[in-house]
Each structure stands twice: as structure tokens, then as C-alpha cells.
Amino acid sequence: MRRPRATGATLPASLLDDSVPSRAARAEAVLGDPAAPGNPAGYQALLAADRSAVPPAEAEAVLDDFGLDAEFVPRELGGRFDSAEGLLRVLRPVFRRDTALGLGYGLTTFTAASAVWLSGSTEQRSDLARRILSGSKAAVATYETAHTNDHVHGRISAVPGPGDTLTVTGLKPVVINLGRADALVLFCRTSAPHGGGSHCALLLDPCRLSDTRYRAIVRSVPEGSGLRAYVGSGVWLDDCPVSRDALLGQPGTGMATALRTAHVSRVLTAAFMVAALDTALRTAVQAYCAEKPGAARKAPNDSGSAARALIGALVDLLLYDSLAVTTARALQLRPAEAGVHAAAVTSLTPTIFTDTMYGLATVLGARTHADEGAVGAFRKHLRDVPLMTLGHAGTAAARSTLIPQLRRLARASWGGWQEAPCGLFRPGAALPPFPYGELPLAGGADSLSGTITVTAAAPHGRDPVERNLRALAEHMANELRDLRTRVLALPLPTPGSEASPAWCALADRYAWVLAAAAVLGVWRHQRTGFLADPAWATLALHRIARRLGLRPMDPPPECAPRIHQEVLARFTEPRGYDLYATPLAG
């Protein structure tokens, strides 16, 4: 429901220009130091709201004052959205503090709205834009999948009704933000058989539905559950009449709308996990420095387990962010490939998140039991992120996108000698207009993997670190050739049946190879700064190779101290641990 706008302090003119870096800096500034006592968007207020299972009203008022809603609306409709990469940069300061706040205030509304921006009529787009810009929230009830939890479970159907209406029936146990949404995007099964025409998408105003045929159901959310403040409502409809004007696109195009929307929402959801890992790493570094006085002022050549955990966490964060940011940029530079890359980064999310969080927990030790401050935020991210990314259901859905395309990719793309365009690998560089209405369902193309072949064939480097990196690139090129052989030899999955474990394993291996390609691309196209140092890319490919079961040579000993120094430097200054390394408020 619409909320009155809050008022706040005036910011310096340098923070009020319209560029993405400025908007991201302004978001960080208005949210302030999360550890500061009394900060309405700080850990104290956010954790208190979570214990009460309510949205953090004061933090949301800060975001209202910032005008964050405009980030979800395309520029041509009066907002500020012009790229997925721009949105992820502006919203990361929110997710760094609280995953639930970022999801409940912003990402859910944007995901619902994306279906309208991609498939809605001119009137539907304009009407929803006006609502969002005036403070409204939107909710989305996604289609059901074969691998479900309460967030994706539930079947809703829409069949022809009397006159110019549809009759909608079904139950969705969890619809994030439903209790305060002025717009609901509903994906429904139709009376058509399975296939392309078996779903439709509707844009509804919950306040205008029949009181006797529609109900927002309230569910109990146990204490300690993730996303507590936002998952307490579901939707129930019983022969509820809806005008055909609510259809998004033509009848039977709901699945196409859902899949195209998923290209955008998957990469953003994956990219926002990096913000949670940033907080976790920063919290662990704080504990590490407390145990080692003076460590933050100089980088000792520490080979202990805590230092190794910090180094591994930064490397994993950067390798994952390389694929996430590359995919976000691909939505505009290589839209036919973005669906494959988005599914790949989604499939890696549980492994990267779990490995990193539990590795950092070993640095925190007994501190992990604290419920307040940065450690409390660490624990909250640990609960919230798996629900945001849908856990096993999200991984299964990502695999179901990748597997049908593997054979076509193996024949047409893998082993190619043409590198992806350099713009994919330059975070923050200019992008063309966002391709509304042009995102393909499945392009079956992949230029990203060509980066591996090109890098492996390049001269072997000027120093031991770069030579080691080139050797690791050769390992990845061999892995890609082996993947191609295995994919082409394996019998195709039977249509309508679940993929075999062998196909799932190949999809997972391909995702890691794409991550390696993104790392190599980001490293190759930097000229200065930390990302131009081959040390981080070497350790990243080494960790990927180990996860693939390969046995690469040990990385040069000088790699780890260079990464360790960067971990401590970004903590002290402070700057973000992602690809952008932007200044932080605290």
C-alpha cells in the first residue's frame, strides 16, 4: 500500500548527479555506517525489526527519501532504470546491510514489474510505473516448478469465464510483499495442454478482487526463519473473476514472460548475494584484526588458517562476482547468451555462499553465537540468503535451463577462437539501451567460453604468477573440450522427465568453466589496479580447478600475500570487496 514519503538531510551536490556511481554512492551515504548506534538503517534497528517479524520502517523511510522506487522503473516511464548492472550497484548497499530489506523493499517489486516492462501493454506499463513512483509495492506469484519449496510451490489456474473474463483458482502459500502490494503479477496455468501455451500472466490489483473469491492468507513464520518480515502472506483464489484486460501479453504467453523475466531476476538475485558476502568477510576481518593488533596497518605473511580463510573468501567472492557482473552486462551486450549465463551463476550460488560463510565462521569462532551488531547481521544473512535464492529449487530450475541447451552449445560454441566482446568484462562501462521485448528465451550461444581458448593460446606470461595463470587456462580449455565430448556422447534426456545425474553433473561443471572464463575476461581487460594483478585470477582458477577435481600445480607463493594485503586494505579504507571496490560508509 502507498506510504507517505519521508524527508531527510540534504546531500552534497557531488552526490546528486544522475550517474550510476553517484547514485550508488548516495545510497551508501544515506544508509550510513551500519554499526553506528541509533542509525535507522543500522544493524541495531534492522535486527530489532527482524525479531519482531516486521519490516524495518525507519530504514524503509530512509530508502523512500532516497527515492529508491525510481530505480525499478525504466527511464522512458519516468524512473531511473536503464541497466541491470546499474540496479545491482545501487541496491548492493541495501543488501549489504540486510538481505530481507533489499528483497522486500526492492527486488521483489522489480521482479514483478519486469514482467510488465517486458510483456505489458502501454497502458499497463504506464499505470504500474505511476504506482511504483508514488510508493506502491508489487508482488509476484511465480509459476510452480518440479522441485519446490513454499516459495515456488502452489498451482493457480486461469480458464475462460463468462463474457470478457477469466476465472482464477488456486493457492500460493508464500507471496513476498503481498500484504502491502498494490499490484500482483500472477502466473497461472491455462486449459491448454503442456507446452508453450500452457501458462498466462496477469497483472492484478488485489484491492479490486472479489472479497469472497480472493483472500490473502496469513501464515505463521517461526522465530529464527529467514526473511521473517516478508514471507507471512500467501494468496488464495476460488473461481475469482478477472477481466481479460489483466493479461500480460497474448493468451498463452505466460511461460515465455516468466522465462524472459527469469533471465533478469536470476542474475540480480545472484549478484546481490555478493553484498551479503561482503558483510560476512568484513565481519571476519574485524575479528581477525582484533586477534592480531596492527594487522590492519600492514599485511603480514600470515599462513595460518584464519588468513587462508580470508584469502579464499575474497577470491571466491571475486570469481563469483566476475560471472554475475559479466552476465548482468550480457543482458544488453549479448542478450541471446544471457539466459545461459544467468542459469550458470544461479547454479553456483549455494556452493559459493555455503563454502564462504562457513569458512568465515571458522575465523569468527565463538563470536558466531552473538545476536547483535555485525555478527548478528552475519547470522541473519546466513538465514536469509538461501531463501532469497530458493535453495535447491533455484538450483534445479537453473539446471533445467542449462541442460536442454548443452548439446547445441557444445556443437556451436565450445572450443571457438572468438573471444566475447571486451565490454562484457569492463564493469561500469557504457551500455546500450535495455532490450525490452527482445530478450530471447534460449539463444543456444556462448561467446564467453571463447575467452578460455584465447587466453590459453596467448604467450605464457612475464612472471611466475602469470605463467601459472596461463597454465590454469589450458586446464580449463581441456575441461571444455572434455565437456564437449561427454555432452555429445550422452543420450539426450527424455522430454518431460527429470534429467539424469550425469546431465546435472555436466551442467554444474559447465557453470564452473563459465566462471573461469569470466575471471579470465575481467583480468585480461583491466589495465591498472588490483583486478589487473594476475594473482587473484590465478587463485580463482586454482580454486575452480580443485572443485572440478583437477590437479593443477600449486599457485606461486607470492599470490596469497598479495590477496591478503588487499583484504586488509579494503577493510581499513574501507572499500567494498566486490569488483567495484567502492568507498563504504562503514
Side-chain angles (χ1 to χ4, degrees):
M1 307 303 173
R2 293 178 180 83
R3 304 178 313 282
R5 293 294 187 191
T7 59
T10 301
L11 290 166
S14 61
L15 292 180
L16 295 178
D17 72 72
D18 199 39
S19 68
V20 168
S22 179
R23 284 163 23 222
R26 183 184 167 207
E28 180 68 30
V30 299
L31 289 167
D33 183 352
N39 180 356
Y43 297 142
Q44 184 179 26
L46 294 168
L47 292 170
D50 179 64
R51 286 191 290 271
S52 300
V54 297
E58 291 182 320
E60 292 200 346
V62 172
L63 298 178
D64 286 342
D65 184 45
F66 172 73
L68 191 64
D69 292 328
E71 301 292 338
F72 316 140
V73 177
R75 285 194 180 274
E76 60 267 29
L77 295 173
R80 293 195 295 261
F81 176 81
D82 46 27
S83 73
E85 185 191 15
L87 181 60
L88 76 85
R89 291 189 69 176
V90 176
L91 268 183
R92 270 188 178 172
V94 183
F95 278 89
R96 192 166 70 85
R97 290 157 174 82
D98 188 353
T99 298
L101 176 62
L103 180 68
Y105 187 98
L107 184 58
T108 299
T109 290
F110 180 77
T111 300
S114 291
V116 183
W117 311 150
L118 289 166
S119 299
S121 66
T122 300
E123 183 179 352
Q124 287 171 324
R125 286 160 53 91
S126 298
D127 179 65
L128 184 60
R130 285 193 299 270
R131 293 189 189 198
I132 293 175
L133 292 172
S134 68
S136 289
K137 296 299 176 196
V140 56
T142 57
Y143 65 95
E144 72 274 13
T145 64
H147 298 265
T148 65
N149 53 36
D150 275 353
H151 291 255
V152 291
H153 174 68
R155 175 171 295 190
I156 297 176
S157 63
V159 298
D164 195 27
T165 67
L166 298 170
T167 300
V168 184
T169 301
L171 170 69
K172 193 77 173 174
V174 175
V175 179
I176 294 173
N177 257 353
L178 179 65
R180 56 181 185 164
D182 292 317
L184 171 64
V185 173
L186 198 63
F187 288 96
C188 311
R189 282 198 172 273
T190 67
S191 55
H194 289 280
S198 62
H199 285 76
C200 68
L202 305 174
L203 174 60
L204 307 174
D205 184 342
C207 297
R208 296 182 179 180
L209 297 177
S210 168
D211 291 340
T212 59
R213 297 296 180 180
Y214 164 84
R215 186 170 71 245
I217 57 176
V218 178
R219 62 196 296 269
S220 174
V221 183
E223 185 175 353
S225 297
L227 307 176
R228 281 191 80 203
Y230 299 95
V231 298
S233 296
V235 61
W236 171 90
L237 303 105
D238 182 19
D239 290 338
C240 184
V242 171
S243 170
R244 284 183 177 269
D245 291 341
L247 280 168
L248 290 174
Q250 297 299 313
T253 61
M255 183 60 74
T257 296
L259 293 175
R260 291 164 66 221
T261 303
H263 294 347
V264 184
S265 63
R266 276 177 176 166
V267 66
L268 285 172
T269 301
F272 289 133
M273 187 195 76
V274 171
L277 294 181
D278 185 296
T279 293
L281 177 52
R282 196 164 303 279
T283 304
V285 175
Q286 184 178 31
Y288 171 84
C289 291
E291 293 290 331
K292 294 178 177 291
R297 293 190 296 274
K298 60 180 181 178
N301 190 10
D302 188 347
S303 59
S305 60
R308 292 197 305 271
L310 299 179
I311 292 166
L314 179 59
V315 171
D316 274 354
L317 190 157
L318 291 173
L319 80 83
Y320 181 84
D321 202 25
S322 295
L323 184 55
V325 171
T326 296
T327 303
R329 295 181 62 78
L331 288 167
Q332 282 152 272
L333 294 172
R334 280 291 190 271
E337 303 178 21
V340 168
H341 301 165
V345 72
T346 299
S347 72
L348 298 182
T349 302
T351 299
I352 292 291
F353 181 74
T354 302
D355 288 356
T356 304
M357 294 296 281
Y358 284 100
L360 294 173
T362 66
V363 181
L364 290 171
R367 296 178 181 86
T368 56
H369 299 293
D371 290 324
E372 300 295 339
V375 177
F378 178 105
R379 288 162 57 90
K380 190 172 186 303
H381 284 311
L382 198 57
R383 297 192 304 268
D384 290 344
V385 169
L387 284 182
M388 180 184 75
T389 57
L390 301 181
H392 173 62
T395 301
R399 285 175 177 161
S400 71
T401 299
L402 282 176
I403 289 171
Q405 301 187 67
L406 290 181
R407 181 157 291 191
R408 181 167 42 173
L409 290 166
R411 287 174 174 160
S413 300
W414 298 350
W417 288 86
Q418 184 173 1
E419 187 176 11
C422 61
L424 280 183
F425 308 115
R426 291 178 175 166
L431 290 165
F434 195 84
Y436 291 110
E438 299 175 18
L439 286 177
L441 298 181
D446 166 25
S447 64
L448 180 56
S449 60
T451 303
I452 293 175
T453 309
V454 172
T455 306
H460 283 288
R462 299 159 295 181
D463 57 48
V465 176
E466 194 167 327
R467 287 194 289 273
N468 191 277
L469 178 57
R470 302 288 184 182
L472 286 164
E474 290 176 4
H475 275 289
M476 293 301 134
N478 291 334
E479 176 66 20
L480 191 60
R481 286 190 285 270
D482 182 63
L483 270 175
R484 186 177 189 275
T485 300
R486 293 185 183 210
V487 165
L488 294 179
L490 197 63
L492 288 172
T494 305
S497 65
E498 290 192 25
S500 68
W503 277 108
C504 291
L506 291 176
D508 291 347
R509 295 181 76 84
Y510 175 52
W512 285 114
V513 170
L514 281 181
V519 167
L520 290 170
V522 170
W523 167 70
R524 278 170 55 85
H525 291 92
Q526 309 306 308
R527 296 292 178 263
T528 60
F530 173 73
L531 293 179
D533 184 344
W536 77 272
T538 298
L539 290 186
L541 260 67
H542 189 270
R543 292 174 74 83
I544 292 172
R546 295 292 296 271
R547 285 177 166 117
L548 289 170
L550 307 178
R551 295 183 178 180
M553 65 182 77
D554 290 337
E558 59 263 41
C559 287
R562 279 145 69 169
I563 309 304
H564 192 200
Q565 181 178 3
E566 185 72 8
V567 169
L568 297 176
R570 293 198 191 191
F571 173 77
T572 304
E573 291 175 3
R575 290 178 289 126
Y577 282 119
D578 61 5
L579 292 182
Y580 305 101
T582 50
L584 304 179

